[in-house]
Amino acid sequence: MENTETPVTVIGLGLMGQALAVAFLKAGHPTTVWNRTTSKADRLVAEGARLAPTVADALAASSLTILCVTDYRAVYELLGGSENDLAGTTLINLTSGSSAQAREAARWAAQRGAHYLDGAIMAIPPAIGTAEAVILHSGPQPDFDAHKPALDALGTVTYLGADHGLASLYDVAGLAMMWSVLNAWLHGTALLRTAGVDAATYAPFARQIAAGVAEWLPGYAEQIDNGSFPAEVSALETDARAMAHLIEESEAVGVNVELPRLIKAMADRAIAAGHGGEQYPVLIEEFGKPRSA
Ligand SMILES: NC(=O)c1ccc[n+]([C@@H]2O[C@H](COP(=O)([O-])OP(=O)(O)OC[C@H]3O[C@@H](n4cnc5c(N)ncnc54)[C@H](OP(=O)(O)O)[C@@H]3O)[C@@H](O)[C@H]2O)c1
């Protein structure tokens, strides 16, 4: 079991990497750091970190190395040199990337004898080290379990499953959710501002709607997983009529209609495919294929 005396290495000391290293130091872990631009380690060294002279030295200093650099290309550039012995070490790559990049990096690491977990940070640097910072991990569970006590210093660390691509996929799924909620709110705010209602007045109302809709998710997820969409509350064709109303009202008051038009076009395709009498989550079939299909 790891405890707060477990040595850890952090490679990549940008805004996020520095926050990760600070959290390990605060939790009492002997922390070795390395960064291409050495000066970014100054503050950390003042706080007790050890600056490794080379990547190879940084890797050798701890059995657990956290990577947090701009992209996967930088990861390969950093670790690819023959002087870097990865055998037996555990790499946790918190660099943002795609699910395919994560799976490829896992294969690359396995060929070099390393244990590999891919991760995604759903937080900004100031939140690191607090429960607010959700950090997702995917890859072999024994590797996650072995290092969770050390990782706990970073925030709320979560394990998603053995497929290395899962952390990246959850990451982008979260972004899709975030922007959809924000865009819907912005559209509504634009509509109301035409009548002199300010954003702050609408925000609590919008928040209540978002929370109410969120309550529907478990039941709708069940319909999707069962592949059966009985219209228990309303049929898609009823929703499509309300979408038309939203577009007309938006046009009438002179606000942007791109978003509701996009959604109505998807609903219209589902209705044309015979799903008009089914419930809204039947649109998963439209979301689940490329537009051109
Ligand atoms: N900041 C956030 O709020 C946030 C939130 C979630 C996830 N992330 C992810 O965390 C990762 C790091 O983000 P950041 O905000 O720390 O970025 P950043 O401040 O721009 O730092 C980038 C880091 O990558 C290093 N790097 C880039 N290319 C390199 C190369 N070819 N060889 C060696 N090192 C290289 C930089 O080294 P130098 O210092 O020498 O340039 C620096 O340490 C990204 O994948 C980002 O998407 C960030």
Side-chain angles (χ1 to χ4, degrees), residues 206-285:
R207 183 179 177 168
Q208 204 174 359
I209 296 169
V213 172
E215 292 295 316
W216 304 349
L217 300 185
Y220 278 10
E222 212 171 295
Q223 290 201 334
I224 292 170
D225 290 340
N226 292 334
S228 161
F229 307 94
E232 289 156 356
V233 180
S234 76
L236 183 60
E237 55 203 5
T238 307
D239 287 304
R241 280 193 289 276
M243 289 172 191
H245 174 58
L246 172 60
I247 293 168
E248 285 156 18
E249 181 73 301
S250 300
E251 276 170 343
V253 298
V255 309
N256 191 293
V257 290
E258 287 168 281
L259 190 58
R261 274 205 185 127
L262 173 72
I263 297 161
K264 179 145 191 310
M266 291 183 96
D268 286 345
R269 287 200 298 275
I271 291 167
H275 298 298
E278 294 172 81
Q279 197 150 265
Y280 200 84
V282 74
L283 282 183
I284 190 66
E285 294 176 13

Side-chain angles (χ1 to χ4, degrees), residues 13-16 35-37 40 68-70 74 77 96 121 123 125:
L13 301 175
L15 293 171
M16 187 53 88
N35 194 56
R36 180 179 60 181
T37 308
K40 288 188 187 168
C68 189
V69 288
T70 304
E77 275 178 34
S96 301
I121 303 173

Side-chain angles (χ1 to χ4, degrees), residues 13 15 22 43 48 51 54 57 71 73 88 97 102 106 110 120-121 124 140 168 174 179 184 228 231 261 285 287-288:
L13 301 175
L15 293 171
V22 165
R43 183 175 68 110
L51 174 62
T54 63
D57 181 89
D71 53 23
R73 203 173 67 165
I121 303 173
I124 53 172
S168 296
W179 284 319
S228 161
R261 274 205 185 127
E285 294 176 13
F287 277 97

